[in-house]
């Protein structure tokens, strides 16, 4: 309830949800690159699955030949043949 | 930029295997360590990280119960360590650039353009008296004061620009085309005397009292036009004199001659056609020639083409790399033949006439002779000319 109210207020005021709600930022470039920001940690990494823990959800990146081009405090870039992006509660 | 920073700091390629590799990666991220090119190779991972970060991973690896092994090392720290025995090479490399920087602080070339009446040598000699020469520090040259000095030293220069381009001092000048002698003519009373003996053929007097007439024969030093002008009253009696700067054009028929004596026996060069090539490195007073050696002891004549080394258009260095071409020559002595003497006489006569014509002298007739003795030859010539003979001298009465 509280989270819903918070979301409504952020939407109404036009504020950035990733800053005020801690949402994960996912940028997809074609089918080859996925850039993830505002995440907490890496849960699992194999060459076909990358599982990332965000604040309120989990992000699954499935594909083939996945490799992490950059992994640092601010962002993470996953490259390879991306097949799907899923969010898991 | 990031890649450059990695190369300077150094980075390693690490193989990761163990119990919880993801935990290890999260621990690195929490300590603000950057990892890149992470790949999953089945049972192990391979990634790259900076050298300084890698040195702090031991407690993290222990915590995550993983093993790390570096497979390759790249970057400046490893390069320096691998080549630490070759420090002389590095020192030479740095010394080269340090010398280049040091030489860029001086002027090594002076370029003068636009000068017609003043030769480059004349201007360079003047610049030398003002301590401006190749090897002078750029900071010691004040372009504005140098421009003023040039304008003051050379009156015919109306515009001058001095600027420093790299290690070159570029001087552009513009000279005055109009002659300035008339404007600078002194106005003190002066007489006109004859500079040479002759017979007066034409006379135009603009100021002063003429003492000779057309057709008179005059000697060198004889007064032609006096500076004194007598002032007469209505009765024709002289009541006083006024002194002026005598001004007149006096043309007279004169004689000019030339004589040249030289020995009949002279040295003649004969070129065999053989050549040799080489280079010569010159810096300051030191010269280092590099020529192919010859086995025969013969005489050679060398032609050197100087070339100053420069990087780019303006960065001149105090090193000259000269291209040397040698021609084999054999020298022998012999007497001039009659045809050669005639050619020499013709050349001397032409040179004499050209000199006279440049001075504005009109040549009416010219005779020349060749006198050959046992060992010498004398070329002589006499010309009848018409030229201006007036010469201005100060009036001695006005000085008294």
């Amino acid at each position: 309830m509280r989270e819903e109210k918070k979301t409504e207020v952020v939407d109404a005021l036009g504020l950035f949800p990733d800053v005020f709600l801690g949402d994960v930022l996912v940028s997809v470039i074609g089918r080859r690159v996925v850039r993830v920001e505002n995440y907490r940690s890496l849960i699992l990494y194999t060459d076909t699955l990358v599982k990332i823990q965000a604040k309120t959800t989990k992000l699954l990146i499935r594909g083939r030949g996945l490799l992490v081009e950059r992994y640092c405090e601010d962002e993470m870039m996953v490259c390879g043949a991306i097949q799907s992006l899923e969010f898991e509660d | 930029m990031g890649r450059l920073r990695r190369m300077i700091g150094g980075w390693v390629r690490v193989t990761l295997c163990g119990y919880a590799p993801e935990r290890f990666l999260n621990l690195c991220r929490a300590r603000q360590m950057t990892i890149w090119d992470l790949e999953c190779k089945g049972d192990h991972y391979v990634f790259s990280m900076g050298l300084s970060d890698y040195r702090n991973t031991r407690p993290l690896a222990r915590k995550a119960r993983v093993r790390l092994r570096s497979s390759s090392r790249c970057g400046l720290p490893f390069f320096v360590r691998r080549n630490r025995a070759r420090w002389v090479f590095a020192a030479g490399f740095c010394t080269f650039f340090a010398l280049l920087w040091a030489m860029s602080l001086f002027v090594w070339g002076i370029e003068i353009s636009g000068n017609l009446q003043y030769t480059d040598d004349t201007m360079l000699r003047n610049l030398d008296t003002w301590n401006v020469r190749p090897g002078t520090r750029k900071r010691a040259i004040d372009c504005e004061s140098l421009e003023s000095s040039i304008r003051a030293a050379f009156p015919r220069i109306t515009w001058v620009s001095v600027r420093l381009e790299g290690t070159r001092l570029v001087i552009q000048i513009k000279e005055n085309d109009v002659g300035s002698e008339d404007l600078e003519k002194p106005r003190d009373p002066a007489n006109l005397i004859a500079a040479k003996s002759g017979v007066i053929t034409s006379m135009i007097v603009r100021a002063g009292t003429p003492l000779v007439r057309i057709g008179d024969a005059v000697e060198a030093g004889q007064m032609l036009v006096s500076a004194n002008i007598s002032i007469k009253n209505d009765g024709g009696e002289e009541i006083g004199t006024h002194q002026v700067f005598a001004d007149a054009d006096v043309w007279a028929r004169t004689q000019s001659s030339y004589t040249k004596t030289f020995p009949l026996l002279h040295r003649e060069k004969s070129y065999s056609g053989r050549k040799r090539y080489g280079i010569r490195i010159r810096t300051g007073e030191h010269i280092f020639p590099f020529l192919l050696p010859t086995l025969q002891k013969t005489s050679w004549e060398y032609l050197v083409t100087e070339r100053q080394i420069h990087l780019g258009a303006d960065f001149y260095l105090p090193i000259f790399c000269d291209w040397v071409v040698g021609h084999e020559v054999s020298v022998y002595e012999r007497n001039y033949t009659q045809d050669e003497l005639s050619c020499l006489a013709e050349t001397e006569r032409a040179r004499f006439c050209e000199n006279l014509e440049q001075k504005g002298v009109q040549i009416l007739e010219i005779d020349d002779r060749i006198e050959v003795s046992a060992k010498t030859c004398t070329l002589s010539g006499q010309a009848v000319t018409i030229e201006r003979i007036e010469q201005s001298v100060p009036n001695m009465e006005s000085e008294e």
Side-chain angles (χ1 to χ4, degrees):
Chain A
M1 191 71 176
R2 198 176 163 188
E3 286 298 320
E4 287 173 6
K5 279 244 181 228
K6 208 173 169 184
T7 308
E8 282 174 13
V9 168
V10 168
D11 288 340
L13 293 175
L15 300 173
F16 298 109
D18 60 317
V19 175
F20 291 93
L21 300 177
D23 281 345
V24 60
L25 266 172
V26 181
S27 309
V28 182
I29 304 171
R31 286 189 63 180
R32 298 218 49 91
V33 179
V34 174
R35 188 170 161 214
V36 183
E37 295 171 86
N38 219 24
Y39 62 98
R40 271 196 181 162
S41 61
L42 177 68
I43 300 171
L44 176 68
Y45 168 57
T46 64
D47 59 341
T48 55
L49 172 66
V50 177
K51 206 169 182 181
I52 300 164
Q53 175 69 55
K55 186 179 177 186
T56 55
T57 183
K58 291 189 184 68
L59 171 67
L60 278 76
I61 304 173
R62 296 185 195 274
R64 287 196 311 272
L66 298 177
L67 56 94
V68 178
E69 195 176 297
R70 183 176 164 83
Y71 183 72
C72 64
E73 191 189 11
D74 302 323
E75 64 175 5
M76 176 178 177
M77 275 178 73
V78 179
C79 302
I82 311 290
Q83 288 174 335
S84 65
L85 260 73
E86 291 172 24
F87 289 95
E88 194 179 275
D89 290 326
Chain B
M1 200 63 178
R3 194 170 275 187
L4 182 64
R5 227 178 290 133
R6 284 177 197 166
M7 287 303 290
I8 293 171
W11 53 275
V12 292
R13 191 84 179 142
V14 182
T15 305
L16 166 70
C17 59
Y19 179 70
E22 289 85 2
R23 189 178 177 204
F24 172 78
L25 295 173
N26 291 328
L27 287 170
C28 289
R29 177 174 171 256
R31 278 150 184 79
Q32 294 166 0
M33 297 180 185
T34 302
I35 290 170
W36 63 91
D37 294 340
L38 172 64
E39 290 179 52
C40 177
K41 298 284 188 185
D43 61 341
H44 64 277
Y45 299 87
V46 183
F47 62 91
S48 303
M49 75 185 321
L51 177 64
S52 53
D53 292 339
Y54 179 69
R55 285 183 179 141
N56 299 326
T57 55
R58 187 174 289 198
L60 308 180
R62 205 180 303 124
K63 203 170 186 180
R65 287 198 247 169
V66 295
R67 278 197 318 277
L68 299 173
R69 196 176 67 247
S70 65
S71 55
S72 66
R73 304 176 185 87
C74 301
L76 186 63
F78 302 109
F79 175 80
V80 170
R81 189 175 162 73
R82 269 198 300 270
N83 296 286
R84 62 187 181 276
R86 300 182 183 90
W87 64 272
V88 177
F89 174 80
F93 189 80
C94 296
T95 306
F96 169 76
F97 283 101
L99 273 175
L100 214 59
W101 171 81
M103 281 198 278
S104 71
L105 301 174
F106 298 84
V107 168
W108 297 113
I110 300 177
E111 185 183 300
I112 304 172
S113 62
N115 50 328
L116 297 169
Q117 298 175 44
Y118 300 110
T119 62
D120 283 1
D121 281 340
T122 306
M123 298 204 66
L124 287 172
R125 255 183 276 125
N126 268 79
L127 289 171
D128 198 66
T129 60
W130 301 321
N131 294 323
V132 176
R133 60 182 78 90
T136 307
R137 283 204 72 164
K138 288 202 293 195
R139 203 184 291 181
I141 295 177
D142 183 0
C143 293
E144 284 188 13
S145 67
L146 192 56
E147 285 172 2
S148 311
S149 304
I150 291 174
R151 273 199 299 271
F154 301 96
R156 285 187 180 269
I157 291 178
T158 55
W159 176 86
V160 61
S161 158
V162 175
R163 65 181 188 275
L164 281 165
E165 286 183 359
T167 57
R168 268 194 324 164
L169 183 68
V170 179
I171 301 176
Q172 287 178 308
I173 63 172
K174 190 155 170 48
E175 294 172 352
N176 188 4
D177 296 331
V178 176
S180 60
E181 286 97 357
D182 293 336
L183 301 172
E184 297 169 2
K185 197 186 291 186
R187 290 292 149 194
D188 292 335
N191 301 315
L192 287 179
I193 63 170
K196 285 179 76 172
S197 305
V199 177
I200 295 177
T201 59
S202 164
M203 196 164 171
I204 300 169
V205 179
R206 288 180 286 273
T209 306
L211 302 178
V212 294
R213 294 176 297 181
I214 294 174
D216 287 354
V218 296
E219 297 294 324
Q222 182 176 341
M223 193 178 299
L224 303 173
V225 180
S226 172
N228 297 325
I229 297 177
S230 61
I231 301 170
K232 297 181 180 172
N233 58 13
D234 294 337
E237 292 174 0
E238 187 174 315
I239 56 173
T241 56
H242 175 59
Q243 292 181 343
V244 297
F245 181 81
D247 184 17
D249 292 340
V250 182
W251 294 83
R253 181 185 288 119
T254 61
Q255 282 192 339
S256 301
S257 62
Y258 67 90
T259 303
K260 183 176 177 183
T261 304
F262 52 88
L264 283 174
L265 192 67
H266 71 286
R267 287 192 166 189
E268 189 91 355
K269 289 181 193 172
S270 169
Y271 296 96
S272 66
R274 282 183 61 202
K275 292 183 185 178
R276 47 196 288 232
Y277 302 95
I279 60 169
R280 186 179 76 168
I281 308 290
R282 183 165 59 90
T283 171
E285 302 294 326
H286 304 287
I287 300 174
F288 306 96
F290 300 96
L291 274 169
L292 295 171
T294 57
L295 299 171
Q296 297 155 359
K297 290 185 181 177
T298 50
S299 301
W300 289 83
E301 200 173 75
Y302 297 101
L303 183 67
V304 178
T305 307
E306 283 190 354
R307 206 171 293 170
Q308 188 172 11
I309 291 180
H310 57 95
L311 306 171
D314 298 319
F315 194 176
Y316 280 70
L317 298 172
I319 303 168
F320 293 81
C321 183
D322 307 331
W323 178 243
V324 181
V325 179
H327 300 267
E328 190 181 31
V329 61
S330 57
V331 180
Y332 59 92
E333 292 182 342
R334 66 172 179 86
N335 284 346
Y336 283 111
T337 62
Q338 196 58 41
D339 290 337
E340 286 171 346
L341 289 175
S342 302
C343 280
L344 285 171
E346 186 61 37
T347 306
E348 192 63 29
R349 174 184 164 151
R351 189 187 61 81
F352 174 70
C353 291
E354 190 183 338
N355 279 348
L356 290 178
E357 282 165 7
Q358 279 179 356
K359 293 175 192 170
V361 175
Q362 183 187 352
I363 302 172
L364 295 179
E365 55 185 66
I366 183 168
D367 292 321
D368 54 349
R369 282 188 303 178
I370 304 173
E371 292 172 359
V372 181
S373 66
K375 289 187 179 179
T376 59
C377 172
T378 303
L379 304 175
S380 58
Q382 214 157 28
V384 177
T385 58
I386 292 182
E387 59 181 310
R388 285 176 59 173
I389 60 168
E390 76 276 4
Q391 183 182 351
S392 187
V393 292
N395 190 5
M396 302 305 291
E397 292 178 18
S398 67
E399 289 177 358
E400 289 169 7

